[in-house]
Amino acid sequence: MGNLLLRGDYGTGPDDFMGMALGMMIAFLGGHVIAWVYMACHNGLSYSRSFVNALIVLCLIVALVMMVMANNLLIAFGLMAVFAIVRFRNVLRDTLDTTYILASITVGMASGTRKFTTAIVGTLVFSVLMLYLHWTHFGARHRYDLILNLHWGRPVGDLPALMGLLERHSRKTSVASQRSNVGYEGMDLSYRLLMRDTSRLEELLGELKALPGVSRVTSLRAEDESEV
């Protein structure tokens, strides 16, 4: 077994019990590593335990499929026909989840075709890359801390009073939306604020509610932006 690991890829070597067992074991461990990295790096709201389990099982299934094919074209077409009949559909909410699926398939293919070195090195490189992107927050942008929604019931000419209050508490203020309708008194305003001190949020909200003409004040803390 040591020679199988240390002597590099065997490619289309003859199948035997030791080779198949080692291939399934590497696929199992590779799937676990990919699943652990996914669990550590996932930040979205669409986390699913079944998806994590599928990453492990998918590695084993693909490895087994590659062993069954055994470079036989007839078997390959037969498997394609079976998979065309028995299909599964799953909408991935996070684009990055697709890369984990592809990683599991690739590791399974490498393990099933006895490319053990490729499977091990590929798993390690993929895991290090995903952890690097997660730990460095690569691609994230932090442009504001707070999304503020309120109703302004005074004339538009009195808006500088509101802006002066917001600018005292924020380093940067930008209007996200402004809505007003004919026959509708006042306007609904949304602002994005980059706070001078995020611990003074309650103080800001209290001053807004005390300001004449302001009502229906709501706030939502903004997370780091990964997409716009």
Side-chain angles (χ1 to χ4, degrees):
M1 182 177 295
N3 289 333
L4 290 176
L5 291 174
L6 298 177
R7 292 178 57 187
D9 293 339
Y10 272 66
T12 58
D15 288 333
D16 54 19
F17 177 79
M18 187 64 69
M20 289 187 293
L22 183 58
M24 296 296 287
M25 182 180 68
I26 292 176
F28 178 74
L29 295 178
H32 262 82
V33 173
I34 294 172
W36 284 329
V37 171
Y38 176 81
M39 293 169 61
C41 297
H42 184 75
N43 292 319
L45 300 176
S46 59
Y47 179 82
S48 171
R49 179 188 174 191
S50 62
F51 179 79
V52 175
N53 293 338
L55 292 176
I56 302 174
V57 177
L58 188 61
C59 261
L60 289 169
I61 292 176
V62 173
L64 184 60
V65 168
M66 299 306 295
M67 292 177 186
V68 171
M69 287 173 58
N71 298 317
N72 190 314
L73 191 60
L74 294 177
I75 297 178
F77 279 112
L79 288 173
M80 290 175 60
V82 171
F83 290 148
I85 298 173
V86 183
R87 296 180 299 174
F88 69 93
R89 293 181 180 179
N90 183 31
V91 178
L92 299 177
R93 300 180 183 179
D94 191 340
T95 306
L96 202 58
D97 290 353
T98 307
T99 62
Y100 287 92
I101 291 289
L102 293 176
S104 293
I105 292 175
T106 303
V107 172
M109 291 178 66
S111 301
T113 55
R114 305 188 69 176
K115 295 183 178 293
F116 302 135
T117 303
T118 300
I120 295 172
V121 173
T123 300
L124 293 177
V125 170
F126 174 81
S127 300
V128 170
L129 173 61
M130 299 309 294
L131 290 172
Y132 159 77
L133 296 176
H134 173 69
W135 288 335
T136 60
H137 298 282
F138 183 81
R141 299 186 299 177
H142 186 77
R143 299 190 297 178
Y144 56 91
D145 301 303
L146 182 70
I147 300 175
L148 184 68
N149 302 309
L150 58 89
H151 177 74
W152 180 250
R154 293 163 58 181
V156 178
D158 294 340
L159 274 176
L162 173 63
M163 294 301 300
L165 190 157
L166 296 178
E167 290 174 356
R168 287 203 311 271
H169 288 271
S170 63
R171 295 197 299 267
K172 182 179 178 182
T173 304
S174 61
V175 180
S177 67
Q178 179 177 330
R179 298 183 300 274
S180 60
N181 298 317
V182 176
Y184 180 69
E185 183 179 357
M187 65 181 69
D188 293 322
L189 299 171
S190 294
Y191 292 95
R192 293 177 177 177
L193 306 178
L194 182 62
M195 300 291 292
R196 298 182 187 274
D197 185 357
T198 55
S199 63
R200 300 182 61 185
L201 173 59
E202 294 300 327
E203 180 180 342
L204 169 63
L205 296 179
E207 292 184 21
L208 283 172
K209 293 176 182 178
L211 184 67
V214 175
S215 60
R216 300 200 293 270
V217 179
T218 59
S219 63
L220 177 65
R221 289 187 179 274
E223 302 293 339
D224 289 344
E225 295 177 281
S226 57
E227 293 185 5
V228 176

